Amino acid sequence: MRFLLFFGALLTVFSSCNSGSKQTETSTTEAAATSPDTVCYQQVTGRDTTTLRLVVNGSDVTGELAVLPYEKDRARGPISGTLADNQIRANWQRSGEGVTQPYEITFTLAGDAVTWREGERVEQQGRWILKDPSGGFEYKVLKTECR
């Protein structure tokens, strides 16, 4: 009888240890599934450099875009937006030439590259949007290691 009681108590201790271990594994897995992913992109053409850093957390995206042409007006600033169907619709707080302006920008994710269009912009409801979203210059930056 004592043996059965001892064995039952031992079994209870082991089963409570195992269930705690499973909870820890689940919590760790859930944390890894929801942790943000940082991805960096860059294009260097001659002395001109464009960099994009994206921090993706589910459908929320933040980061920074820097367009740095050599000996020309540079622009950089934080972005924040939403990811859906391989597109990020974002607001870019573009700082350049001593002025910060909110730009609407749409990034398209395609494998190891990100593209977006730039061209003539018009102000609409306090944000600068592309006058012709399908025209203008297309930027394409390739995935690189984040520094």
Side-chain angles (χ1 to χ4, degrees):
M1 183 68 159
R2 282 186 180 161
F3 176 74
L4 289 177
L5 287 175
F6 175 74
F7 183 71
L10 193 59
L11 186 59
T12 302
V13 169
F14 280 123
S15 66
S16 68
C17 287
N18 285 339
S19 67
S21 175
K22 287 180 185 175
Q23 286 175 340
T24 302
E25 288 174 17
T26 302
S27 299
T28 303
T29 303
E30 288 171 3
T34 59
S35 64
D37 186 23
T38 301
V39 186
C40 297
Y41 300 87
Q42 183 176 46
Q43 175 194 47
V44 178
T45 305
R47 293 181 173 183
D48 300 340
T49 303
T50 302
T51 60
L52 175 64
R53 177 186 212 86
L54 299 175
V55 180
V56 181
N57 192 359
S59 63
D60 295 326
V61 180
T62 58
E64 184 172 359
L65 173 60
V67 180
L68 311 170
Y70 181 72
E71 293 186 342
K72 295 181 185 169
D73 296 331
R74 296 168 173 229
R76 65 175 59 209
I79 61 166
S80 63
T82 305
L83 171 64
D85 299 324
N86 291 327
Q87 285 198 327
I88 301 168
R89 294 188 53 92
N91 290 310
W92 178 31
Q93 293 301 312
R94 182 189 182 278
S95 293
E97 303 175 50
V99 177
T100 299
Q101 298 171 313
Y103 270 43
E104 180 182 275
I105 191 165
T106 301
F107 299 101
T108 301
L109 305 173
D112 285 344
V114 172
T115 61
W116 71 93
R117 294 212 166 264
E118 195 54 67
E120 183 180 355
R121 290 185 174 264
V122 294
E123 188 175 6
Q124 188 176 78
Q125 298 177 347
R127 292 187 320 173
W128 290 89
I129 64 168
L130 286 172
K131 185 174 182 179
D132 179 10
S134 62
F137 176 77
E138 182 178 75
Y139 278 93
K140 181 176 183 178
V141 291
L142 301 176
K143 190 180 284 187
T144 188
E145 289 187 34
C146 294
R147 298 177 202 183

